Amino acid sequence: MLTGGVGAYALVRHLNGNLKSVDIDAELGKDRPAASDNGAMNILLLGSDSRRGITAAGASDPGRSDTAMVLHVYPGRQQAALVSIPRDTLVTRPTCTTPTGATDPGGPRKMFNASFSVGGPACAVSTVEKLSGLRMDHYLEINFGGFQKVIDALGGVDITTTKPLKDRASGVDLQAGTHHLNGEQALALVRTRDAVGDGGDLGRIQLQQAFLKSLLKQVSSAGLLANPARLLTVADTATKAMTTDSKLAGATALVGLASDLKGLSSSGLQTLTLPVRQDTQDINRVTPLPTESQQVWDALRTDQPVPKSATARSMADKGPAGSVVTP
């Protein structure tokens, strides 16, 4: 028992040492939306395009916000909604503190993904909170290298493509059918633009959402908890790959979060993209549809499913991209 206790303590210390964290609460202060008191939870999931862990040149690359999703977990923790925010969305960015300690004034018509570049995780969280009116209870970030390694630690992911996907820029090259992807192949898939839709971010978002459903389905059925050695490998890899808010900056807190979400399945996850339209001044940018976007955030604030009317007019949900990969 003593040996086991010492080993467990050493393991927890090791995993805690892997994690990088940011004290979002301290950086943002009290000028934030109120936290929910009914068990609902909002998590900002951010994927940065840093190459740290992939190439030597990427070791010092801070990256940019390549993918951003708000995960709203409903009370009871059996259902959730995942709202993707296109990186090219024009938003009003709040005042943020830069890494050098300077103040960036923000302002209207700023690209959403620039918030992370300007002020790091705290600025990204603040931008999402101003946009949605929802408090982000937690923050989880993973970069390209970390994503690739986590997929490999999980043993790969099975996905089915309904048409061939080929993109020299990302490296994806898949025929139609079922595939078992390793980390490198999975990263190439979720990064592709040219292989889906019109080559923009919106088609890629739909593909990413389908991939996440496939991943969630596989993790739920993989029996990780029954395989301590594999679970340890995944935990070690994941904690090295993530940056979290300070409340999750420990193995015990992450295990608690995982336990809270263990009842969530792919069938209980509603996925959508923030309703947007092409910007009238710049065809390479999009802007939120005011009424429909507010419908999305109001539904999450009141713990209701997002109505179909909220996405009916959005250019984000047009086209066949969402059916290219099936979970």
Side-chain angles (χ1 to χ4, degrees):
M1 290 177 63
L2 178 61
T3 303
V6 172
Y9 175 71
L11 174 58
V12 170
R13 284 195 63 186
H14 171 74
L15 295 178
N16 287 349
N18 288 344
L19 284 163
K20 299 176 289 294
S21 66
V22 179
D23 193 340
I24 300 292
D25 290 342
E27 291 199 35
L28 297 187
K30 296 182 178 180
D31 185 21
R32 302 176 64 189
S36 174
D37 60 0
N38 64 354
M41 178 168 47
N42 297 305
I43 305 173
L44 176 58
L45 306 174
L46 190 143
S48 77
D49 62 5
S50 169
R51 269 70 175 177
R52 283 178 296 180
I54 296 181
T55 65
S60 59
D61 178 16
R64 293 160 295 278
S65 168
D66 191 67
T67 299
M69 301 176 176
V70 173
L71 177 67
H72 177 79
V73 184
Y74 293 96
R77 310 291 168 87
Q78 301 293 310
Q79 303 286 325
L82 187 72
V83 183
S84 295
I85 303 175
R87 56 179 292 170
D88 299 331
T89 304
L90 294 177
V91 299
T92 297
R93 187 170 70 233
T95 301
C96 291
T97 302
T98 70
T100 62
T103 298
D104 180 272
R109 295 187 60 80
K110 304 293 186 182
M111 264 184 61
F112 171 77
N113 76 327
S115 293
F116 182 80
S117 303
V118 166
C123 190
V125 169
S126 182
T127 301
V128 171
E129 291 188 341
K130 298 297 184 185
L131 176 67
S132 67
L134 301 174
R135 186 186 184 96
M136 296 298 108
D137 300 293
H138 292 300
Y139 171 84
L140 284 171
E141 173 197 335
I142 190 167
N143 61 33
F144 280 176
F147 174 87
Q148 182 173 316
K149 290 176 181 178
V150 168
I151 297 300
D152 282 334
L154 287 168
V157 179
D158 295 322
I159 59 100
T160 298
T161 59
T162 59
K163 72 171 191 177
L165 298 176
K166 188 167 185 176
D167 179 3
R168 289 184 179 179
S170 77
V172 68
D173 187 1
L174 300 172
Q175 296 300 313
T178 299
H179 307 272
H180 184 76
L181 306 185
N182 61 24
E184 183 179 4
Q185 293 169 317
L187 179 60
L189 175 69
V190 299
R191 288 186 58 215
T192 184
R193 288 173 177 261
D194 293 340
V196 290
D198 59 1
D201 195 39
L202 300 181
R204 185 181 67 150
I205 284 173
Q206 291 178 310
L207 185 149
Q208 289 172 345
Q209 292 172 345
F211 177 86
L212 283 177
K213 281 199 168 187
S214 296
L215 180 61
L216 180 59
K217 183 177 180 180
Q218 186 160 324
V219 169
S220 299
S221 61
L224 282 179
L225 293 178
N227 189 335
R230 188 175 175 197
L231 179 61
L232 176 58
T233 299
V234 173
D236 188 41
T237 303
T239 50
K240 288 177 181 175
M242 292 190 299
T243 298
T244 72
D245 64 276
S246 57
K247 293 178 182 177
L248 290 179
T252 302
L254 285 172
V255 169
L257 177 63
S259 179
D260 285 344
L261 301 181
K262 66 182 179 182
L264 183 63
S265 65
S266 59
S267 62
L269 180 64
Q270 181 185 17
T271 57
L272 64 145
T273 304
L274 182 70
V276 293
R277 63 187 173 197
Q278 190 176 69
D279 182 61
T280 57
Q281 300 178 41
D282 187 343
I283 62 172
N284 296 312
R285 303 288 180 261
V286 296
T287 53
L289 288 165
T291 300
E292 288 82 353
S293 293
Q294 195 58 51
Q295 281 184 294
V296 171
W297 303 129
D298 286 346
L300 302 190
R301 186 179 301 106
T302 56
D303 298 309
Q304 300 297 316
V306 177
K308 290 184 178 179
S309 59
T311 59
R313 293 178 55 239
S314 174
M315 64 180 292
D317 292 307
K318 306 298 182 184
S323 61
V324 170
V325 172
T326 57

